[in-house]
PDB file of all heavy atoms in Angstrom:
ATOM      1  N   LEU A   1     -27.175 -87.975  79.374  1.00 60.00           N
ATOM      2  CA  LEU A   1     -26.227 -88.828  78.662  1.00 60.00           C
ATOM      3  C   LEU A   1     -26.805 -89.280  77.327  1.00 60.00           C
ATOM      4  O   LEU A   1     -26.092 -89.329  76.324  1.00 60.00           O
ATOM      5  CB  LEU A   1     -25.855 -90.035  79.522  1.00 60.00           C
ATOM      6  CG  LEU A   1     -25.038 -89.723  80.778  1.00 60.00           C
ATOM      7  CD1 LEU A   1     -24.835 -90.992  81.595  1.00 60.00           C
ATOM      8  CD2 LEU A   1     -23.717 -89.084  80.438  1.00 60.00           C
ATOM      9  N   ASN A   2     -28.089 -89.598  77.300  1.00 62.00           N
ATOM     10  CA  ASN A   2     -28.726 -90.003  76.050  1.00 62.00           C
ATOM     11  C   ASN A   2     -28.690 -88.877  75.022  1.00 62.00           C
ATOM     12  O   ASN A   2     -28.464 -89.115  73.842  1.00 62.00           O
ATOM     13  CB  ASN A   2     -30.172 -90.433  76.293  1.00 62.00           C
ATOM     14  CG  ASN A   2     -30.271 -91.766  76.997  1.00 62.00           C
ATOM     15  OD1 ASN A   2     -29.336 -92.553  76.981  1.00 62.00           O
ATOM     16  ND2 ASN A   2     -31.409 -92.003  77.626  1.00 62.00           N
ATOM     17  N   GLN A   3     -28.920 -87.656  75.449  1.00 61.00           N
ATOM     18  CA  GLN A   3     -28.955 -86.531  74.523  1.00 61.00           C
ATOM     19  C   GLN A   3     -27.567 -86.133  74.024  1.00 61.00           C
ATOM     20  O   GLN A   3     -27.421 -85.620  72.933  1.00 61.00           O
ATOM     21  CB  GLN A   3     -29.625 -85.328  75.177  1.00 61.00           C
ATOM     22  CG  GLN A   3     -31.106 -85.530  75.371  1.00 61.00           C
ATOM     23  CD  GLN A   3     -31.787 -84.306  75.924  1.00 61.00           C
ATOM     24  OE1 GLN A   3     -31.233 -83.226  75.895  1.00 61.00           O
ATOM     25  NE2 GLN A   3     -33.003 -84.471  76.422  1.00 61.00           N
ATOM     26  N   THR A   4     -26.547 -86.365  74.833  1.00 60.00           N
ATOM     27  CA  THR A   4     -25.199 -85.969  74.430  1.00 60.00           C
ATOM     28  C   THR A   4     -24.448 -87.080  73.720  1.00 60.00           C
ATOM     29  O   THR A   4     -23.392 -86.851  73.153  1.00 60.00           O
ATOM     30  CB  THR A   4     -24.377 -85.529  75.657  1.00 60.00           C
ATOM     31  OG1 THR A   4     -24.302 -86.608  76.578  1.00 60.00           O
ATOM     32  CG2 THR A   4     -24.958 -84.298  76.298  1.00 60.00           C
ATOM     33  N   GLY A   5     -24.967 -88.311  73.771  1.00 60.00           N
ATOM     34  CA  GLY A   5     -24.301 -89.427  73.114  1.00 60.00           C
ATOM     35  C   GLY A   5     -23.222 -90.056  73.972  1.00 60.00           C
ATOM     36  O   GLY A   5     -22.431 -90.856  73.477  1.00 60.00           O
ATOM     37  N   LEU A   6     -23.157 -89.730  75.254  1.00 57.00           N
ATOM     38  CA  LEU A   6     -22.175 -90.340  76.142  1.00 57.00           C
ATOM     39  C   LEU A   6     -22.810 -91.520  76.854  1.00 57.00           C
ATOM     40  O   LEU A   6     -23.983 -91.502  77.192  1.00 57.00           O
ATOM     41  CB  LEU A   6     -21.694 -89.326  77.190  1.00 57.00           C
ATOM     42  CG  LEU A   6     -20.915 -88.123  76.672  1.00 57.00           C
ATOM     43  CD1 LEU A   6     -20.616 -87.171  77.812  1.00 57.00           C
ATOM     44  CD2 LEU A   6     -19.627 -88.569  76.010  1.00 57.00           C
ATOM     45  N   SER A   7     -22.017 -92.536  77.085  1.00 58.00           N
ATOM     46  CA  SER A   7     -22.504 -93.651  77.880  1.00 58.00           C
ATOM     47  C   SER A   7     -22.240 -93.351  79.344  1.00 58.00           C
ATOM     48  O   SER A   7     -21.534 -92.401  79.677  1.00 58.00           O
ATOM     49  CB  SER A   7     -21.805 -94.944  77.457  1.00 58.00           C
ATOM     50  OG  SER A   7     -20.427 -94.870  77.777  1.00 58.00           O
ATOM     51  N   SER A   8     -22.799 -94.158  80.237  1.00 55.00           N
ATOM     52  CA  SER A   8     -22.644 -93.895  81.669  1.00 55.00           C
ATOM     53  C   SER A   8     -21.197 -94.044  82.129  1.00 55.00           C
ATOM     54  O   SER A   8     -20.818 -93.499  83.155  1.00 55.00           O
ATOM     55  CB  SER A   8     -23.555 -94.808  82.481  1.00 55.00           C
ATOM     56  OG  SER A   8     -23.227 -96.153  82.215  1.00 55.00           O
ATOM     57  N   ASP A   9     -20.371 -94.759  81.372  1.00 55.00           N
ATOM     58  CA  ASP A   9     -18.965 -94.873  81.767  1.00 55.00           C
ATOM     59  C   ASP A   9     -18.108 -93.766  81.153  1.00 55.00           C
ATOM     60  O   ASP A   9     -16.891 -93.763  81.291  1.00 55.00           O
ATOM     61  CB  ASP A   9     -18.405 -96.257  81.415  1.00 55.00           C
ATOM     62  CG  ASP A   9     -18.511 -96.582  79.937  1.00 55.00           C
ATOM     63  OD1 ASP A   9     -18.962 -95.714  79.156  1.00 55.00           O
ATOM     64  OD2 ASP A   9     -18.143 -97.706  79.557  1.00 55.00           O
ATOM     65  N   GLY A  10     -18.731 -92.800  80.479  1.00 51.00           N
ATOM     66  CA  GLY A  10     -18.015 -91.634  79.980  1.00 51.00           C
ATOM     67  C   GLY A  10     -17.541 -91.739  78.551  1.00 51.00           C
ATOM     68  O   GLY A  10     -16.926 -90.813  78.054  1.00 51.00           O
ATOM     69  N   PHE A  11     -17.763 -92.850  77.880  1.00 53.00           N
ATOM     70  CA  PHE A  11     -17.309 -92.981  76.505  1.00 53.00           C
ATOM     71  C   PHE A  11     -18.370 -92.472  75.549  1.00 53.00           C
ATOM     72  O   PHE A  11     -19.563 -92.664  75.754  1.00 53.00           O
ATOM     73  CB  PHE A  11     -16.956 -94.443  76.177  1.00 53.00           C
ATOM     74  CG  PHE A  11     -15.729 -94.902  76.884  1.00 53.00           C
ATOM     75  CD1 PHE A  11     -15.821 -95.697  78.008  1.00 53.00           C
ATOM     76  CD2 PHE A  11     -14.482 -94.511  76.444  1.00 53.00           C
ATOM     77  CE1 PHE A  11     -14.678 -96.106  78.676  1.00 53.00           C
ATOM     78  CE2 PHE A  11     -13.338 -94.921  77.098  1.00 53.00           C
ATOM     79  CZ  PHE A  11     -13.437 -95.718  78.227  1.00 53.00           C
ATOM     80  N   ASN A  12     -17.914 -91.817  74.513  1.00 54.00           N
ATOM     81  CA  ASN A  12     -18.811 -91.239  73.530  1.00 54.00           C
ATOM     82  C   ASN A  12     -19.273 -92.325  72.574  1.00 54.00           C
ATOM     83  O   ASN A  12     -18.481 -92.886  71.831  1.00 54.00           O
ATOM     84  CB  ASN A  12     -18.092 -90.118  72.771  1.00 54.00           C
ATOM     85  CG  ASN A  12     -19.028 -89.274  71.949  1.00 54.00           C
ATOM     86  OD1 ASN A  12     -20.082 -89.736  71.516  1.00 54.00           O
ATOM     87  ND2 ASN A  12     -18.652 -88.044  71.733  1.00 54.00           N
ATOM     88  N   ILE A  13     -20.554 -92.598  72.620  1.00 57.00           N
ATOM     89  CA  ILE A  13     -21.142 -93.630  71.769  1.00 57.00           C
ATOM     90  C   ILE A  13     -21.091 -93.196  70.306  1.00 57.00           C
ATOM     91  O   ILE A  13     -20.911 -94.011  69.411  1.00 57.00           O
ATOM     92  CB  ILE A  13     -22.606 -93.894  72.179  1.00 57.00           C
ATOM     93  CG1 ILE A  13     -22.650 -94.373  73.624  1.00 57.00           C
ATOM     94  CG2 ILE A  13     -23.265 -94.899  71.267  1.00 57.00           C
ATOM     95  CD1 ILE A  13     -24.046 -94.373  74.217  1.00 57.00           C
ATOM     96  N   LEU A  14     -21.185 -91.911  70.060  1.00 61.00           N
ATOM     97  CA  LEU A  14     -21.242 -91.391  68.698  1.00 61.00           C
ATOM     98  C   LEU A  14     -19.862 -91.301  68.050  1.00 61.00           C
ATOM     99  O   LEU A  14     -19.759 -91.216  66.838  1.00 61.00           O
ATOM    100  CB  LEU A  14     -21.894 -90.005  68.694  1.00 61.00           C
ATOM    101  CG  LEU A  14     -23.305 -89.934  69.285  1.00 61.00           C
ATOM    102  CD1 LEU A  14     -23.786 -88.495  69.315  1.00 61.00           C
ATOM    103  CD2 LEU A  14     -24.252 -90.824  68.505  1.00 61.00           C
ATOM    104  N   ASP A  15     -18.793 -91.298  68.843  1.00 64.00           N
ATOM    105  CA  ASP A  15     -17.441 -91.141  68.301  1.00 64.00           C
ATOM    106  C   ASP A  15     -16.515 -92.192  68.911  1.00 64.00           C
ATOM    107  O   ASP A  15     -15.876 -91.942  69.930  1.00 64.00           O
ATOM    108  CB  ASP A  15     -16.926 -89.736  68.589  1.00 64.00           C
ATOM    109  CG  ASP A  15     -15.596 -89.457  67.906  1.00 64.00           C
ATOM    110  OD1 ASP A  15     -15.129 -90.303  67.119  1.00 64.00           O
ATOM    111  OD2 ASP A  15     -15.021 -88.389  68.179  1.00 64.00           O
ATOM    112  N   PRO A  16     -16.423 -93.378  68.300  1.00 65.00           N
ATOM    113  CA  PRO A  16     -15.595 -94.445  68.867  1.00 65.00           C
ATOM    114  C   PRO A  16     -14.096 -94.130  68.849  1.00 65.00           C
ATOM    115  O   PRO A  16     -13.332 -94.748  69.576  1.00 65.00           O
ATOM    116  CB  PRO A  16     -15.906 -95.654  67.998  1.00 65.00           C
ATOM    117  CG  PRO A  16     -16.504 -95.122  66.750  1.00 65.00           C
ATOM    118  CD  PRO A  16     -17.088 -93.785  67.072  1.00 65.00           C
ATOM    119  N   ASP A  17     -13.658 -93.162  68.043  1.00 72.00           N
ATOM    120  CA  ASP A  17     -12.241 -92.813  67.964  1.00 72.00           C
ATOM    121  C   ASP A  17     -11.845 -91.722  68.953  1.00 72.00           C
ATOM    122  O   ASP A  17     -10.709 -91.262  68.937  1.00 72.00           O
ATOM    123  CB  ASP A  17     -11.902 -92.329  66.544  1.00 72.00           C
ATOM    124  CG  ASP A  17     -12.116 -93.426  65.516  1.00 72.00           C
ATOM    125  OD1 ASP A  17     -11.955 -94.608  65.871  1.00 72.00           O
ATOM    126  OD2 ASP A  17     -12.452 -93.094  64.364  1.00 72.00           O
ATOM    127  N   ALA A  18     -12.741 -91.309  69.812  1.00 74.00           N
ATOM    128  CA  ALA A  18     -12.464 -90.209  70.743  1.00 74.00           C
ATOM    129  C   ALA A  18     -11.404 -90.625  71.759  1.00 74.00           C
ATOM    130  O   ALA A  18     -11.320 -91.781  72.173  1.00 74.00           O
ATOM    131  CB  ALA A  18     -13.734 -89.801  71.457  1.00 74.00           C
ATOM    132  N   ASN A  19     -10.596 -89.655  72.162  1.00 85.00           N
ATOM    133  CA  ASN A  19      -9.538 -89.853  73.142  1.00 85.00           C
ATOM    134  C   ASN A  19     -10.152 -90.057  74.529  1.00 85.00           C
ATOM    135  O   ASN A  19     -10.958 -89.240  74.967  1.00 85.00           O
ATOM    136  CB  ASN A  19      -8.636 -88.609  73.114  1.00 85.00           C
ATOM    137  CG  ASN A  19      -7.486 -88.696  74.068  1.00 85.00           C
ATOM    138  OD1 ASN A  19      -7.405 -89.594  74.898  1.00 85.00           O
ATOM    139  ND2 ASN A  19      -6.580 -87.750  73.938  1.00 85.00           N
ATOM    140  N   PRO A  20      -9.787 -91.111  75.252  1.00 86.00           N
ATOM    141  CA  PRO A  20     -10.361 -91.355  76.590  1.00 86.00           C
ATOM    142  C   PRO A  20     -10.101 -90.210  77.577  1.00 86.00           C
ATOM    143  O   PRO A  20     -10.933 -89.933  78.425  1.00 86.00           O
ATOM    144  CB  PRO A  20      -9.670 -92.637  77.062  1.00 86.00           C
ATOM    145  CG  PRO A  20      -9.218 -93.316  75.813  1.00 86.00           C
ATOM    146  CD  PRO A  20      -8.932 -92.217  74.830  1.00 86.00           C
ATOM    147  N   ASP A  21      -8.959 -89.540  77.457  1.00 88.00           N
ATOM    148  CA  ASP A  21      -8.677 -88.403  78.348  1.00 88.00           C
ATOM    149  C   ASP A  21      -9.643 -87.248  78.090  1.00 88.00           C
ATOM    150  O   ASP A  21     -10.127 -86.615  79.023  1.00 88.00           O
ATOM    151  CB  ASP A  21      -7.241 -87.905  78.168  1.00 88.00           C
ATOM    152  CG  ASP A  21      -6.212 -88.907  78.696  1.00 88.00           C
ATOM    153  OD1 ASP A  21      -6.587 -89.723  79.573  1.00 88.00           O
ATOM    154  OD2 ASP A  21      -5.057 -88.862  78.236  1.00 88.00           O
ATOM    155  N   GLU A  22      -9.901 -87.001  76.812  1.00 89.00           N
ATOM    156  CA  GLU A  22     -10.863 -85.951  76.466  1.00 89.00           C
ATOM    157  C   GLU A  22     -12.262 -86.315  76.961  1.00 89.00           C
ATOM    158  O   GLU A  22     -12.992 -85.459  77.467  1.00 89.00           O
ATOM    159  CB  GLU A  22     -10.891 -85.726  74.951  1.00 89.00           C
ATOM    160  CG  GLU A  22      -9.668 -85.038  74.402  1.00 89.00           C
ATOM    161  CD  GLU A  22      -9.723 -84.895  72.885  1.00 89.00           C
ATOM    162  OE1 GLU A  22     -10.733 -85.308  72.266  1.00 89.00           O
ATOM    163  OE2 GLU A  22      -8.752 -84.362  72.315  1.00 89.00           O
ATOM    164  N   LEU A  23     -12.615 -87.567  76.794  1.00 90.00           N
ATOM    165  CA  LEU A  23     -13.930 -88.013  77.243  1.00 90.00           C
ATOM    166  C   LEU A  23     -14.056 -87.905  78.763  1.00 90.00           C
ATOM    167  O   LEU A  23     -15.110 -87.529  79.276  1.00 90.00           O
ATOM    168  CB  LEU A  23     -14.190 -89.443  76.793  1.00 90.00           C
ATOM    169  CG  LEU A  23     -14.356 -89.636  75.283  1.00 90.00           C
ATOM    170  CD1 LEU A  23     -14.488 -91.113  74.950  1.00 90.00           C
ATOM    171  CD2 LEU A  23     -15.556 -88.860  74.777  1.00 90.00           C
ATOM    172  N   GLU A  24     -12.984 -88.224  79.463  1.00 92.00           N
ATOM    173  CA  GLU A  24     -13.004 -88.110  80.926  1.00 92.00           C
ATOM    174  C   GLU A  24     -13.168 -86.650  81.345  1.00 92.00           C
ATOM    175  O   GLU A  24     -13.928 -86.340  82.265  1.00 92.00           O
ATOM    176  CB  GLU A  24     -11.710 -88.685  81.503  1.00 92.00           C
ATOM    177  CG  GLU A  24     -11.681 -88.719  83.010  1.00 92.00           C
ATOM    178  CD  GLU A  24     -10.406 -89.358  83.526  1.00 92.00           C
ATOM    179  OE1 GLU A  24      -9.949 -90.363  82.953  1.00 92.00           O
ATOM    180  OE2 GLU A  24      -9.872 -88.832  84.518  1.00 92.00           O
ATOM    181  N   GLU A  25     -12.482 -85.764  80.641  1.00 93.00           N
ATOM    182  CA  GLU A  25     -12.603 -84.327  80.935  1.00 93.00           C
ATOM    183  C   GLU A  25     -14.017 -83.840  80.618  1.00 93.00           C
ATOM    184  O   GLU A  25     -14.609 -83.070  81.389  1.00 93.00           O
ATOM    185  CB  GLU A  25     -11.576 -83.532  80.125  1.00 93.00           C
ATOM    186  CG  GLU A  25     -11.649 -82.038  80.291  1.00 93.00           C
ATOM    187  CD  GLU A  25     -11.303 -81.550  81.695  1.00 93.00           C
ATOM    188  OE1 GLU A  25     -10.780 -82.331  82.508  1.00 93.00           O
ATOM    189  OE2 GLU A  25     -11.567 -80.368  81.972  1.00 93.00           O
ATOM    190  N   LYS A  26     -14.571 -84.301  79.500  1.00 93.00           N
ATOM    191  CA  LYS A  26     -15.946 -83.925  79.158  1.00 93.00           C
ATOM    192  C   LYS A  26     -16.912 -84.413  80.220  1.00 93.00           C
ATOM    193  O   LYS A  26     -17.824 -83.687  80.628  1.00 93.00           O
ATOM    194  CB  LYS A  26     -16.346 -84.503  77.792  1.00 93.00           C
ATOM    195  CG  LYS A  26     -15.781 -83.758  76.624  1.00 93.00           C
ATOM    196  CD  LYS A  26     -16.271 -84.358  75.320  1.00 93.00           C
ATOM    197  CE  LYS A  26     -15.658 -83.670  74.129  1.00 93.00           C
ATOM    198  NZ  LYS A  26     -16.121 -84.247  72.854  1.00 93.00           N
ATOM    199  N   GLN A  27     -16.730 -85.653  80.680  1.00 94.00           N
ATOM    200  CA  GLN A  27     -17.606 -86.206  81.704  1.00 94.00           C
ATOM    201  C   GLN A  27     -17.488 -85.409  82.999  1.00 94.00           C
ATOM    202  O   GLN A  27     -18.490 -85.119  83.660  1.00 94.00           O
ATOM    203  CB  GLN A  27     -17.260 -87.685  81.960  1.00 94.00           C
ATOM    204  CG  GLN A  27     -18.200 -88.363  82.915  1.00 94.00           C
ATOM    205  CD  GLN A  27     -19.610 -88.455  82.368  1.00 94.00           C
ATOM    206  OE1 GLN A  27     -19.813 -88.683  81.186  1.00 94.00           O
ATOM    207  NE2 GLN A  27     -20.591 -88.274  83.231  1.00 94.00           N
ATOM    208  N   ARG A  28     -16.270 -85.011  83.347  1.00 96.00           N
ATOM    209  CA  ARG A  28     -16.059 -84.204  84.550  1.00 96.00           C
ATOM    210  C   ARG A  28     -16.766 -82.858  84.420  1.00 96.00           C
ATOM    211  O   ARG A  28     -17.440 -82.400  85.345  1.00 96.00           O
ATOM    212  CB  ARG A  28     -14.558 -83.987  84.789  1.00 96.00           C
ATOM    213  CG  ARG A  28     -14.234 -83.301  86.108  1.00 96.00           C
ATOM    214  CD  ARG A  28     -12.770 -82.929  86.218  1.00 96.00           C
ATOM    215  NE  ARG A  28     -12.362 -81.904  85.269  1.00 96.00           N
ATOM    216  CZ  ARG A  28     -12.648 -80.610  85.387  1.00 96.00           C
ATOM    217  NH1 ARG A  28     -13.360 -80.171  86.392  1.00 96.00           N
ATOM    218  NH2 ARG A  28     -12.229 -79.742  84.492  1.00 96.00           N
ATOM    219  N   LEU A  29     -16.646 -82.251  83.255  1.00 96.00           N
ATOM    220  CA  LEU A  29     -17.307 -80.963  83.021  1.00 96.00           C
ATOM    221  C   LEU A  29     -18.824 -81.110  83.031  1.00 96.00           C
ATOM    222  O   LEU A  29     -19.534 -80.248  83.565  1.00 96.00           O
ATOM    223  CB  LEU A  29     -16.834 -80.348  81.701  1.00 96.00           C
ATOM    224  CG  LEU A  29     -15.386 -79.862  81.679  1.00 96.00           C
ATOM    225  CD1 LEU A  29     -14.984 -79.439  80.266  1.00 96.00           C
ATOM    226  CD2 LEU A  29     -15.189 -78.728  82.660  1.00 96.00           C
ATOM    227  N   ILE A  30     -19.315 -82.178  82.464  1.00 96.00           N
ATOM    228  CA  ILE A  30     -20.760 -82.433  82.465  1.00 96.00           C
ATOM    229  C   ILE A  30     -21.258 -82.576  83.892  1.00 96.00           C
ATOM    230  O   ILE A  30     -22.275 -81.992  84.274  1.00 96.00           O
ATOM    231  CB  ILE A  30     -21.098 -83.688  81.622  1.00 96.00           C
ATOM    232  CG1 ILE A  30     -20.917 -83.375  80.141  1.00 96.00           C
ATOM    233  CG2 ILE A  30     -22.514 -84.175  81.906  1.00 96.00           C
ATOM    234  CD1 ILE A  30     -20.952 -84.588  79.240  1.00 96.00           C
ATOM    235  N   ASN A  31     -20.526 -83.345  84.689  1.00 97.00           N
ATOM    236  CA  ASN A  31     -20.911 -83.509  86.098  1.00 97.00           C
ATOM    237  C   ASN A  31     -20.877 -82.183  86.835  1.00 97.00           C
ATOM    238  O   ASN A  31     -21.749 -81.897  87.658  1.00 97.00           O
ATOM    239  CB  ASN A  31     -20.008 -84.536  86.782  1.00 97.00           C
ATOM    240  CG  ASN A  31     -20.245 -85.939  86.293  1.00 97.00           C
ATOM    241  OD1 ASN A  31     -21.304 -86.259  85.765  1.00 97.00           O
ATOM    242  ND2 ASN A  31     -19.250 -86.790  86.452  1.00 97.00           N
ATOM    243  N   GLN A  32     -19.876 -81.380  86.538  1.00 97.00           N
ATOM    244  CA  GLN A  32     -19.767 -80.063  87.181  1.00 97.00           C
ATOM    245  C   GLN A  32     -20.930 -79.164  86.767  1.00 97.00           C
ATOM    246  O   GLN A  32     -21.510 -78.460  87.602  1.00 97.00           O
ATOM    247  CB  GLN A  32     -18.437 -79.410  86.813  1.00 97.00           C
ATOM    248  CG  GLN A  32     -18.164 -78.128  87.560  1.00 97.00           C
ATOM    249  CD  GLN A  32     -16.790 -77.547  87.219  1.00 97.00           C
ATOM    250  OE1 GLN A  32     -16.135 -77.970  86.269  1.00 97.00           O
ATOM    251  NE2 GLN A  32     -16.368 -76.578  87.996  1.00 97.00           N
ATOM    252  N   VAL A  33     -21.295 -79.180  85.485  1.00 97.00           N
ATOM    253  CA  VAL A  33     -22.430 -78.389  85.002  1.00 97.00           C
ATOM    254  C   VAL A  33     -23.710 -78.841  85.687  1.00 97.00           C
ATOM    255  O   VAL A  33     -24.515 -78.006  86.136  1.00 97.00           O
ATOM    256  CB  VAL A  33     -22.563 -78.500  83.460  1.00 97.00           C
ATOM    257  CG1 VAL A  33     -23.916 -77.988  82.991  1.00 97.00           C
ATOM    258  CG2 VAL A  33     -21.435 -77.753  82.772  1.00 97.00           C
ATOM    259  N   MET A  34     -23.896 -80.139  85.818  1.00 97.00           N
ATOM    260  CA  MET A  34     -25.093 -80.669  86.472  1.00 97.00           C
ATOM    261  C   MET A  34     -25.142 -80.230  87.939  1.00 97.00           C
ATOM    262  O   MET A  34     -26.194 -79.838  88.444  1.00 97.00           O
ATOM    263  CB  MET A  34     -25.132 -82.198  86.379  1.00 97.00           C
ATOM    264  CG  MET A  34     -25.205 -82.738  84.958  1.00 97.00           C
ATOM    265  SD  MET A  34     -26.734 -82.332  84.124  1.00 97.00           S
ATOM    266  CE  MET A  34     -27.840 -83.390  84.999  1.00 97.00           C
TER     267      MET A  34
END
């Protein structure tokens, strides 16, 4: 999470304007990759 800029709740620290649905999908994909 530190390397990707995501917080533990799935929000992108580096992009405050990011869509929450996209962030949720990214978090799901990250979890799946892990």
Side-chain angles (χ1 to χ4, degrees):
L1 292 175
N2 288 339
Q3 290 184 16
T4 59
L6 295 175
S7 66
S8 60
D9 58 3
F11 290 102
N12 192 333
I13 300 167
L14 302 176
D15 187 6
D17 297 330
N19 181 351
D21 291 336
E22 288 178 2
L23 292 175
E24 185 177 319
E25 177 66 12
K26 283 182 183 180
Q27 185 65 38
R28 187 188 67 76
L29 291 173
I30 288 169
N31 290 338
Q32 187 177 12
V33 166
M34 298 294 288

